[in-house]
Amino acid sequence: MQKLDMIYEGKAKKVFQTDDPALVIVDYKDDATAFNGEKKGTISGKGVINNKLTNFLMQKLEQAGVPTHFVRELSDRETLVKSVHIVPLEVIIRNVSAGSFAKRYGVEEGIVNDSPTIEFSYKNDALGDPLINSYHAVALKLATPEEIETIKKYAFKVNDVLKAFFLECGINLIDFKLEFGKLPDGAIVLADEISPDTCRFWDSKTGEKLDKDRFRRDLGNVEDAYQEVLRRVMG
Ligand code: UDP
């Protein structure tokens, strides 16, 4: 598989064309940003950890019946994935109050939801990824009502699978963000990454944060926390 021109560079990953138009290579970086790019830094070794974790979890989800863009891990930082049109929605599932949910609604962090919530943000850096509802998403032609139903179904399935799995690893899955893509035939698949950059992980015994909040909130030991998640998940 030949790595050709870079077609996209995001905050945490680069994407390269390959000699197969249906496939692209994702290359994970150590760069970290927060607060819509206002805070910038490096988390040494993060790219390797996020690549491995994402691939492990994507395969687990495939086995559980959630279609994903994953094809094959190529190296420590590089993975071959199906080329998709990303649906410009950030899909956020919450099991426990934290982050912007706690702030927006004026509640403490750590309140357990009776059932998980779902919300959407419009992926648009210039607008700061505003919260939108599914009717707005349809009005803006970001997705069809059928695609949104499929995305919801997959997102809750991902939560069921990952929540149970992480608990076995001594980790509480507090909340997370997913992105979905569309294949040329119109099928919706899970894309992007699943990592401490995109999930909140709290140690199930001590409550210690094992995710990007350590970077966002300057809590220290950021690299150690990412390593610890990888160790607990993959041994
Ligand atoms: N999240 C993400 N990318 C974003 C926004 C949020 O991966 O651009 C993840 C975040 O890591 C957390 C969940 O989505 O696991 C919910 O984030 P929240 O809405 O609370 O926003 P934040 O507090 O991170 O601004």
Side-chain angles (χ1 to χ4, degrees):
M1 186 53 55
Q2 229 191 323
K3 197 174 179 185
L4 302 177
D5 290 351
M6 185 168 81
I7 45 181
Y8 173 80
E9 177 161 13
K11 293 169 194 142
K13 299 185 283 295
K14 296 176 187 171
V15 181
F16 295 84
Q17 259 170 350
T18 68
D19 43 22
D20 181 340
L23 301 173
V24 296
I25 293 171
V26 179
D27 190 336
Y28 286 75
K29 307 191 286 186
D30 286 349
D31 298 351
T33 62
F35 312 119
N36 204 18
E38 265 172 56
K39 183 180 170 88
K40 289 192 174 71
T42 306
I43 302 173
S44 157
K46 169 172 87 82
V48 175
I49 293 171
N50 288 1
N51 184 39
K52 290 188 174 156
L53 258 178
T54 296
N55 294 341
F56 177 86
L57 297 171
M58 289 276 179
Q59 290 173 84
K60 186 168 266 305
L61 289 165
E62 281 277 357
Q63 283 164 18
V66 179
T68 79
H69 72 163
F70 176 79
V71 177
R72 168 160 54 93
E73 190 166 294
L74 299 175
S75 72
D76 266 4
R77 289 176 186 272
E78 295 167 310
T79 294
L80 189 65
V81 300
K82 292 175 187 164
S83 175
V84 298
H85 281 289
I86 291 287
V87 177
L89 292 172
E90 297 197 335
V91 180
I92 293 172
I93 298 274
R94 300 179 190 271
N95 295 307
V96 176
S97 67
S100 70
F101 179 92
K103 197 169 170 203
R104 185 182 316 123
Y105 302 121
V107 297
E108 288 167 47
E109 295 199 306
I111 300 167
V112 179
N113 296 332
D114 290 339
S115 48
T117 67
I118 190 164
E119 73 201 43
F120 302 104
S121 292
Y122 175 22
K123 254 176 81 71
N124 183 316
D125 281 339
L127 298 177
D129 299 339
L131 186 68
I132 63 169
N133 70 32
S134 56
Y135 292 87
H136 298 153
V138 172
L140 293 168
K141 299 189 167 45
L142 308 181
T144 67
E146 294 74 25
E147 286 166 354
I148 288 175
E149 280 316 302
T150 304
I151 285 171
K152 279 190 193 165
K153 182 182 75 178
Y154 289 160
F156 283 121
K157 177 78 183 176
V158 168
N159 187 47
D160 288 344
V161 173
L162 294 189
K163 200 179 145 191
F165 172 70
F166 277 108
L167 207 53
E168 289 172 21
C169 306
I171 292 171
N172 256 334
L173 179 60
I174 304 303
D175 60 25
F176 56 93
K177 185 261 304 181
L178 301 174
E179 293 184 24
F180 290 87
K182 238 169 107 167
L183 293 174
D185 68 0
I188 297 283
V189 297
L190 181 62
D192 195 49
E193 65 179 284
I194 306 172
S195 72
D197 273 9
T198 63
C199 303
R200 284 196 169 91
F201 296 130
W202 295 358
D203 183 289
S204 58
K205 285 214 178 74
T206 66
E208 190 192 356
K209 295 185 193 340
L210 300 170
D211 57 56
K212 196 173 161 188
D213 273 347
R214 301 205 74 84
F215 169 78
R216 294 190 190 97
R217 303 178 187 188
D218 295 318
L219 300 176
N221 298 324
V222 187
E223 284 88 0
D224 293 348
Y226 279 64
Q227 278 294 347
E228 178 62 15
V229 173
L230 184 70
R231 193 189 65 75
R232 290 199 198 177
V233 168
M234 299 185 67

